[in-house]
Each structure stands twice: as C-alpha cells, then as structure tokens.
Amino acid sequence: MFAVYAAEPNPDEPLSALRVGERPAPDPPDGWIAVSVRAASLNMHDIWTLRGVGIKAEQFPMILGCDGAGVLSDGSEVVLHSVIGDAAGFGDETLDPKRSLLTEKHQGTLADTVVVPASNVLPKPAGLSFAEAACMGTAWLTAYRMLFVKSGLRPGQTMLVQGASGGVSTALIALGKAAGMRVWVTGRTPQKRALAEQVGADAAFESGARLPARVDAVFETVGKATWPHSMRAVRPGGTIVVSGSTSGPDPSADLQRLFFMQITVVGSTMGTRAELADLLSFCAQTGLRPRIGAQLPMTEAAEGFGQMVAGETAGKIVFTR
Ligand SMILES: NC(=O)c1ccc[n+]([C@@H]2O[C@H](COP(=O)([O-])OP(=O)(O)OC[C@H]3O[C@@H](n4cnc5c(N)ncnc54)[C@H](OP(=O)(O)O)[C@@H]3O)[C@@H](O)[C@H]2O)c1
C-alpha cells in the first residue's frame, strides 16, 4: 500500500530519512481494526521519529503520522486516538509506563490503511471535515489537556503561549480564546504574531519581550529558548505547563526563582480517550475549528515536512489521501 515512512534514523538530516513509497498492508490482530485513512496531520513528533528520537533502531522502517481521521469497513467516519496504553490498570492511559504513541511501536497514519485497537477510534463529528478531524488526536488533544486538565486556569485569567504558529501553539490560542481566557502569545516574526492574532490571541509579542503584566499560566513547548522568559512572565503562585522542548531539553531550572515565587511547573503529555471525546464535543458545540496552514496530498508529504523543519508553520500541516 501507499505510505510515507522513515527508512532509518538520521539525527542530523531528518528529511533524508523520509520516503514516499510502498509498505506492506497491515493485518489487524485480534481486537484491532483497520481504518482507511482520509487525512492525517504532521506533528513535530514525526520529525523526532526521522531523527531517531523516542523510537528504537529496530523499529525502522516506520510509517509516519501520529493522528488521523478515516473510514471503517462499515462506512463509519472516525477520529483516531493515538495513545496505545492500558487505561484500566493506571486510571489514565497516558500514565501507563508502557504506553506508546502511533509511530513509536505501531505503524502510523500516513498510509492507505492504519490498524489500531478497536477502542482507539471515536466517531467523527459530522461538522468537522476529515482534515480538521485529523488535527485533533495529537496537537489539539495535547493543548486541551494542558489548558483544561493541567493548568488550573479559570475563564477571565491571562495565559501566555510560547510560540505563535505551531500546531500545539495555535490550538492553545484558539481553545484559550474560546474558553474566555485573555490570550497572550510570543512569536518569532511579525507574520507569525499576526497569525496568532487571527487565530484569537488578544496580543502577540516578540520572543522574550517584557509583558504588560505577569500572567496566571504559561504554556511551554519550546524549551530552552523560551524557558527563562516563561519563568519571568509567570506571576507569583502561577503555573507553567510544559509538553515539549523543541529548542532543547535542558533549560536551567532557576530553582531560586521557582521556590521564592512559588511557581508550579506541570508536565503534560497527550491526553486520554475521554479527553479526546470532550475535545471533539467542544469543537462540535462551539464551532471552533483548527487553523490549517497547509493542506497537501500525502504524495507531496516531503513539501510539508520541509516546511516544519524550516519553521515555516502557519497552523497545522495536513495531508489528505
Ligand atoms: N508531550 C506531548 O504529548 C506532545 C504532544 C504534541 C507536541 N509535543 C511537542 O511540542 C512541540 C511543538 O510541537 P508542534 O507539533 O506544535 O510543532 P510545530 O508545529 O513545528 O511548532 C513549533 C513551535 O515552536 C516554536 N519554536 C520553535 N523553535 C523556537 C525557538 N527557537 N524560539 C521560539 N519559538 C520556537 C514555534 O514558534 P513560532 O511560531 O514563533 O515559529 C512554533 O510555534 C514539539 O517539541 C513536540 O514534540 C509534545
């Protein structure tokens, strides 16, 4: 079958490990089902996979794509939940130490067909296109959990999103605005800051800029490049929610500031099936839709991957089949 895959790990030149070609069609094991993929979105996780981060060398070649939307053999339209883990044993599948995300152990969604446990598909709301629904399973679910499950923010409070144009960043901006937060954003270029305002930000600032006031919570996916600013931007007693470290994983913690200002730092990863169901319902009820910056056929995946590696994002990059 057609597939977009990582041939081998390449830490320095991830795009040279990318292949658009053919892979064997999957055969679903007991309890798993086949989904005919209509759309899948690109996440930074796919770039990490090409670099060999978070995946064992023996798992290559690996079909890329952590999320998606498609059709079952009976014609039902579904959204994929890409966390494969034991919810019953741990109360939350994201807390299962053996959990994995599609593309870590199991083949991903950038293909004609993907197989997943039967409990990992949810009905696609009729009002969401396949392309919009394909954005929900990773970036939007991660943003939903950061904001509504982990941050403790209440409507009316002020949030800062580090990064303006990325998948998780644009999801945080849109969800925060829809929920009644005052949303501030940092972005690296005037175009990216303008995009953040189009998506719903109340104000957008240059990276590292002094803000008009300290914020109740900061949302971090950038890491080293923005961490010192996040520590300065949060109010005493405020919260920093972290789900990524694109620019590097080893920020100086600034422990003195952490305890003196009584800052809470919270880690967050993906979300549960129930949270994905709530997110889909939130979008269906509010009319909120993801910002899709580029939509390309899967055959042109290399173009979209190149845009993400170059930092040329304007919302989600989606591939259709
Ligand atoms: N823990 C989880 O479950 C989870 C789930 C999803 C994503 N993540 C992580 O979250 C991160 C973002 O993923 P994504 O898919 O949203 O990626 P993306 O679409 O490529 O977005 C990258 C974002 O990072 C910002 N950025 C990158 N380098 C920067 C720098 N040096 N200084 C300031 N800003 C910088 C960009 O800001 P500009 O707009 O200003 O360019 C952009 O908003 C990745 O590290 C990913 O692995 C984690």
Side-chain angles (χ1 to χ4, degrees):
M1 67 172 181
F2 172 85
V4 178
Y5 62 98
E8 72 272 318
N10 192 326
D12 300 322
E13 291 181 35
L15 295 178
S16 62
L18 183 68
R19 301 281 184 280
V20 177
E22 293 284 319
R23 295 295 300 149
D27 193 12
D30 279 354
W32 289 50
I33 47 171
V35 180
S36 175
V37 180
R38 294 286 186 273
S41 88
L42 178 60
N43 292 281
M44 186 63 83
H45 193 281
D46 296 303
I47 310 298
W48 296 130
T49 302
L50 289 165
R51 290 188 192 278
V53 176
I55 176 171
K56 293 189 174 134
E58 61 267 27
Q59 302 284 0
F60 290 88
M62 175 59 77
I63 299 175
L64 296 160
C66 307
D67 50 29
V71 179
L72 302 182
S73 58
D74 66 2
S76 359
E77 299 183 348
V78 295
V79 179
L80 296 176
H81 177 43
S82 50
V83 181
I84 312 224
D86 175 6
F90 298 89
D92 173 336
E93 61 270 33
T94 68
L95 298 176
D96 175 358
K98 292 192 176 154
R99 75 173 188 278
S100 67
L101 196 60
L102 283 179
T103 72
E104 290 173 353
K105 288 184 194 155
H106 306 290
Q107 303 292 319
T109 55
L110 286 173
D112 287 330
T113 304
V114 62
V115 296
V116 292
S119 57
N120 280 61
V121 298
L122 292 86
K124 179 179 83 61
L128 259 68
S129 68
F130 282 111
E132 289 164 345
C135 301
M136 295 289 134
T138 304
W140 273 64
L141 178 60
T142 300
Y144 183 92
R145 184 176 176 89
M146 291 174 80
L147 181 55
F148 296 122
V149 182
K150 296 287 189 172
S151 78
L153 271 192
R154 298 189 308 276
Q157 293 190 302
T158 302
M159 58 189 277
L160 173 67
V161 181
Q162 297 285 19
S165 68
V168 179
S169 297
T170 48
L172 282 164
I173 296 165
L175 287 167
K177 189 62 183 173
M181 317 298 176
R182 181 162 64 157
V183 183
W184 289 352
V185 178
T186 63
R188 292 183 286 179
T189 65
Q191 292 80 3
K192 285 167 183 276
R193 295 193 286 277
L195 175 92
E197 290 178 346
Q198 282 167 27
V199 173
D202 295 288
F205 304 89
E206 289 180 30
S207 303
R210 187 182 175 87
L211 302 179
R214 290 214 175 101
V215 302
D216 298 293
V218 182
F219 294 83
E220 256 295 353
T221 59
V222 180
K224 197 171 183 174
T226 51
W227 182 260
H229 184 245
S230 296
M231 288 291 283
R232 289 197 307 277
V234 70
R235 68 163 166 79
T239 301
I240 306 175
V241 188
V242 186
S243 75
S245 54
T246 305
S247 61
D250 57 345
S252 138
D254 198 354
L255 291 176
Q256 270 187 323
R257 191 172 184 90
L258 187 82
F259 69 73
F260 192 71
M261 302 287 276
Q262 302 189 65
I263 295 165
T264 301
V265 178
V266 184
S268 191
T269 280
M270 296 296 288
T272 64
R273 184 186 196 280
E275 288 158 8
L276 179 56
D278 291 344
L279 167 62
L280 294 172
S281 170
F282 187 89
C283 290
Q285 291 182 39
T286 58
L288 193 65
R289 297 291 180 267
R291 173 76 180 211
I292 295 175
Q295 186 169 323
L296 299 162
M298 278 187 205
T299 45
E300 292 171 28
E303 167 68 22
F305 276 75
Q307 288 173 11
M308 182 169 273
V309 168
E312 291 165 2
T313 46
K316 289 293 293 173
I317 297 169
V318 178
F319 302 119
T320 53
R321 189 70 186 135

